[in-house]
């Protein structure tokens, strides 16, 4: 970025040009990027803790479902509601939390959401009826969803691009540890005390998280680096004449016809011929009021869904997540009803799914980057977002057979050690492919690939794409949990998961379709959007 002052006139072409201004490095007061290592590490630890607790809350209940059903005289359908309500709220509320954090900053959102989580966890621990439990799980989900939606943005606030790889690697271990450890912790606590102990544990975690944000966390949000505020400034610039000045301020006279190339970058002001190198000031950001148009999260959501490649990938990710949640829920039922396992033993077996998921996510992300680099090199340095999906092919080959294998070892009540092996394999391949599609063991490999693709395929809208992905995941998890028990009772594990294997094959065909047609679809959508802007 050019300095706002200069001793001599630079060589500027006598025609209008456009270059990109790096919004990430706009000068700000108390720049979070310049904070001390201790301050940054503290922030990293706090948001990682909050994210781990949020994901821990999603499945810590599973090993205790039979105990809850007995204690509260609940039906299997009502137990399903406690899980499904949590998923649909946690999946869809990030759209609102993200918008709120762009208005009030990160810290107020963290504090309000953590307080909601604490209240929900406390009332869950004291629930006397299943109806109260369902409502409080919804409140708990609302509180937990903020950390999931804005923690990555918080780290982007404090770490420069070259630092993020390592720090994000540490951070993403947290949401993986939550689902991995949740069943084991829930089973251990329920077995040692009772089913309420899991929610007392979440209550303690919530209080620690709230106090950490209140006392130790310093807000990382800066208006000057907010794309939402950039949009509002563009609106003001269209109605007011800018004033030239020589201080460090940011331009708002941007050429809206230039497509955004990166989520962190916006068009730079045009230089006028024979002009000195000065920047253009606008009204102070602190006095800027956002309109409904600026903060409304739904138009960007709709724009994401207007692209066919996004829709196919979002459905694929949602199916993977719905399968994962259905698997952990019904596996807990099978172990309790068919194998006579207690809460602790159930949690220990479900830990195998978590181990596979962590391995799939870590390996899937690295494999995805390696395949992308190889494809890019083979293509003369040119690349497209669809190249990343190539890395999911290996996981696609092994995921459906692993699911069919799990289906029939459960159906035939084979030794539980075989179930453990199948859970590790499913977790591995699933997350391996999703980190390529979006980010989930075979299951996590697939998820890792697709999430990365969503980010690559939506420059300038990455946060909205991830929030939309969360919405699809939560909604399809809701449907899968609500239908899991009736289908398991009617078809058995063999029929249920053979059917799921078929659904996952359809999911893989969707990914392959995007791999071959996605670039064409994206170009058509981008051209359509440019025409709308020009009009």
């Amino acid at each position: 970025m050019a300095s706002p002052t200069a001793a001599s006139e630079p060589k500027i072409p006598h025609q209008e040009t456009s270059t990109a201004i790096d919004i990430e490095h706009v000068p700000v007061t108390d720049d979070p990027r310049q904070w001390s290592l201790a301050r940054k590490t503290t922030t990293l630890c706090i948001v990682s803790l909050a994210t781990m607790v949020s994901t821990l809350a999603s499945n810590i209940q599973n090993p205790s479902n039979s105990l809850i059903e007995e204690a509260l005289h609940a039906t299997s359908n009502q137990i399903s509601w406690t899980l499904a309500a949590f998923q649909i709220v946690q999946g869809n509320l990030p759209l609102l939390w993200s918008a709120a954090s762009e208005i009030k900053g990160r810290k107020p959102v963290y504090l309000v959401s953590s307080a909601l989580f604490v209240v929900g966890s406390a009332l869950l621990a004291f629930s006397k009826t299943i109806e109260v439990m369902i409502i409080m799980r919804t409140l708990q989900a609302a509180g937990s969803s903020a950390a999931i939606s804005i923690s990555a943005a918080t780290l982007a606030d404090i770490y420069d691009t070259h630092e993020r790889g390592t720090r994000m690697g540490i951070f993403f271990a947290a949401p993986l540890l939550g689902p991995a450890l949740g069943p084991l912790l829930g089973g251990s606590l329920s077995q040692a005390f009772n089913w309420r102990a899991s929610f007392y544990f979440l209550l303690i975690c919530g209080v620690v998280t709230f106090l950490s944000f209140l006392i130790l966390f310093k807000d990382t949000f800066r208006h000057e680096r907010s794309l939402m505020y950039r949009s509002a400034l563009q609106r003001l610039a269209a109605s007011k004449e800018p004033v030239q000045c020589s201080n460090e301020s940011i331009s708002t006279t941007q050429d809206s016809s230039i497509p955004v190339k990166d989520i962190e970058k916006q068009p730079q002001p045009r230089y006028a011929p024979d002009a000195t190198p000065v920047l253009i000031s606008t009204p102070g950001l602190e006095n800027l009021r956002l309109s409904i148009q600026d903060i409304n999260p739904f138009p960007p959501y709709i724009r994401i869904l207007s692209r066919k490649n996004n829709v196919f990938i979002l459905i694929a990710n949602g199916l993977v997540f719905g399968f994962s949640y259905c698997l952990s829920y019904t596996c807990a039922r099978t172990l309790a009803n068919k194998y006579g396992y207690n809460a602790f033993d159930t949690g220990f077996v479900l830990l195998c799914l978590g181990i596979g998921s962590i391995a799939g996510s870590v390996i899937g992300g690295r494999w995805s980057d390696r395949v992308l680099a190889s494809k890019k090199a083979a293509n003369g340095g040119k690349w497209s977002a669809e190249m990343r999906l190539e890395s999911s092919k290996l996981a696609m080959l092994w995921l459906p057979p692993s699911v069919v294998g799990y289906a029939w070892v459960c159906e035939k009540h084979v030794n539980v050690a075989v179930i453990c092996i199948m859970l590790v394999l499913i977790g591995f391949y699933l997350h391996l492919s999703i980190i390529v599609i979006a980010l989930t063991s075979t299951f996590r490999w697939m998820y890792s690939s697709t999430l990365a693709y969503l980010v690559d395929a939506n420059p300038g809208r990455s946060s909205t794409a991830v929030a939309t992905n969360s919405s699809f995941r939560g909604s399809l998890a809701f449907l899968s949990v609500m239908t899991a028990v009736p289908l398991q009772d009617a078809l058995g594990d063999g029929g249920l998961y053979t059917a799921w294997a078929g659904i996952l094959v359809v999911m893989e065909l969707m990914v392959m379709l995007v791999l071959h047609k996605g670039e064409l679809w994206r170009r058509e959508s981008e051209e359509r959007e440019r025409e709308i802007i020009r009009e």
Side-chain angles (χ1 to χ4, degrees):
M1 179 174 168
S3 172
T5 60
S8 60
E9 183 175 343
K11 296 179 180 178
I12 302 174
H14 291 281
Q15 63 181 14
E16 289 189 343
T17 59
S18 63
T19 55
I21 184 171
D22 187 355
I23 195 173
E24 283 207 336
H25 299 96
V26 167
V28 295
T29 303
D30 188 21
D31 190 345
R33 304 272 173 77
Q34 303 303 319
W35 286 352
S36 67
L37 177 61
R39 168 67 69 182
K40 289 184 176 182
T41 303
T42 299
T43 303
L44 172 61
C45 291
I46 293 172
V47 298
S48 297
L49 172 65
T51 306
M52 184 177 71
V53 172
S54 297
T55 56
L56 186 71
S58 67
N59 65 358
I60 196 172
Q61 173 189 327
N62 280 336
S64 312
N65 284 334
S66 59
L67 299 177
I68 296 171
E69 190 172 336
E70 180 181 352
L72 299 183
H73 308 291
T75 65
S76 295
N77 185 58
Q78 289 172 320
I79 294 296
S80 297
W81 268 106
T82 65
L83 302 171
F86 186 97
Q87 285 300 321
I88 197 166
V89 172
Q90 191 183 64
N92 286 280
L93 224 61
L95 285 168
L96 302 181
W97 286 126
S98 295
S101 75
E102 293 287 321
I103 302 168
K104 296 297 185 181
R106 316 291 190 214
K107 185 167 183 173
V109 171
Y110 280 130
L111 289 174
V112 172
S113 61
S114 297
L116 288 176
F117 183 83
V118 168
V119 172
S121 299
L123 295 177
L124 272 167
F126 291 105
S127 296
K128 300 295 184 183
T129 65
I130 192 64
E131 290 79 12
V132 171
M133 188 173 183
I134 293 171
I135 295 171
M136 290 305 106
R137 280 288 276 174
T138 302
L139 182 62
Q140 189 185 51
S144 70
S145 61
I148 293 174
S149 63
I150 66 174
S151 288
T154 301
L155 296 186
D157 292 340
I158 64 175
Y159 290 114
D160 220 331
T161 308
H162 67 277
E163 301 176 284
R164 286 182 196 157
T166 302
R167 301 305 187 275
M168 286 293 185
I170 296 171
F171 166 72
F172 278 120
L176 293 176
L177 283 174
L181 297 178
L184 184 60
L185 284 171
S188 301
L189 291 168
S190 296
Q191 194 64 34
F193 303 100
N194 57 47
W195 65 268
R196 298 180 190 274
S198 297
F199 298 109
Y200 283 121
F201 176 77
L202 291 177
L203 171 61
I204 294 170
C205 291
V207 170
V208 171
T209 302
F210 177 82
L211 293 176
S212 298
F213 281 122
L214 180 65
I215 299 170
L216 301 176
F217 183 80
K218 188 174 182 180
D219 206 332
T220 63
F221 179 71
R222 298 294 181 268
H223 293 132
E224 296 89 341
R225 293 175 178 170
S226 167
L227 291 177
M228 189 174 289
Y229 273 82
R230 286 282 146 206
S231 174
L233 284 174
Q234 285 180 306
R235 175 172 49 82
L236 278 184
S239 61
K240 294 186 178 182
E241 278 294 317
V243 181
Q244 291 187 343
C245 72
S246 60
N247 58 10
E248 284 191 338
S249 56
I250 309 309
S251 168
T252 60
T253 56
Q254 300 177 359
D255 183 358
S256 62
S257 67
I258 301 173
V260 177
K261 294 297 183 185
D262 189 272
I263 186 172
E264 305 294 350
K265 297 182 179 178
Q266 292 291 300
Q268 192 177 12
R270 294 177 175 179
Y271 286 102
D274 303 318
T276 55
V278 293
L279 295 178
I280 300 173
S281 68
T282 54
L285 282 167
E286 65 278 2
N287 298 321
L288 181 63
R289 290 189 177 184
L290 298 179
S291 69
I292 294 297
Q293 181 180 358
D294 297 317
I295 63 177
N296 186 356
F298 295 107
Y301 182 94
I302 294 171
R303 283 197 295 271
I304 292 293
L305 296 180
S306 69
R307 295 187 175 190
K308 286 185 285 188
N309 60 306
N310 288 341
V311 172
F312 279 109
I313 291 297
L314 288 166
I315 293 174
N317 277 342
L319 289 173
V320 166
F321 192 77
F323 164 74
S324 178
Y325 212 76
C326 177
L327 177 65
S328 59
Y329 178 32
T330 57
C331 183
R333 291 187 81 236
T334 297
L335 293 172
N337 298 334
K338 305 298 183 182
Y339 287 80
Y341 273 28
N342 58 33
F344 173 78
D345 294 335
T346 298
F348 193 79
V349 173
L350 289 177
L351 177 63
C352 296
L353 182 63
I355 291 172
S357 298
I358 291 174
S361 289
V362 173
I363 296 174
R366 293 183 177 181
W367 175 252
S368 175
D369 287 340
R370 183 174 179 178
V371 170
L372 179 60
S374 174
K375 292 290 181 181
K376 185 177 178 181
N379 199 36
K382 297 179 181 179
W383 77 288
S384 67
E386 286 70 29
M387 289 180 180
R388 191 180 290 277
L389 294 176
E390 290 280 352
S391 59
S392 65
K393 287 183 176 179
L394 180 60
M396 290 181 186
L397 181 64
W398 294 104
L399 179 57
S402 298
V403 174
V404 172
Y406 168 82
W408 293 99
V409 297
C410 285
E411 182 69 22
K412 300 300 181 181
H413 302 161
V414 177
N415 189 284
V416 75
V418 182
I419 294 179
C420 291
I421 293 171
M422 301 312 299
L423 287 174
V424 170
L425 290 175
I426 290 172
F428 179 76
Y429 292 118
L430 193 57
H431 276 73
L432 193 60
S433 55
I434 287 297
I435 249 179
V436 182
I437 300 178
L439 267 170
T440 105
S441 69
T442 302
F443 169 80
R444 290 296 179 188
W445 190 342
M446 283 294 295
Y447 187 72
S448 298
S449 300
T450 51
L451 186 53
Y453 170 77
L454 274 177
V455 172
D456 291 342
N458 293 277
R461 298 173 184 167
S462 299
S463 59
T464 305
V466 173
T468 306
N469 179 62
S470 177
S471 176
F472 268 68
R473 291 192 331 168
S475 300
L476 287 175
F478 172 85
L479 291 174
S480 71
V481 169
M482 291 307 300
T483 58
V485 171
L487 290 175
Q488 186 182 32
D489 289 344
L491 304 176
D493 285 314
L496 174 61
Y497 285 101
T498 299
W500 262 115
I503 293 172
L504 292 175
V505 169
V506 173
M507 176 274 293
E508 293 176 348
L509 292 175
M510 290 182 179
V511 176
M512 293 300 296
L513 185 61
V514 174
L515 175 60
H516 293 288
K517 296 285 188 179
E519 186 174 5
L520 174 62
W521 290 342
R522 280 192 300 107
R523 288 177 178 174
E524 291 174 350
S525 297
E526 288 165 2
E527 181 60 33
R528 210 165 39 240
E529 290 164 6
R530 280 194 289 268
E531 290 176 0
I532 292 173
I533 291 174
R534 283 194 291 267
E535 293 172 0

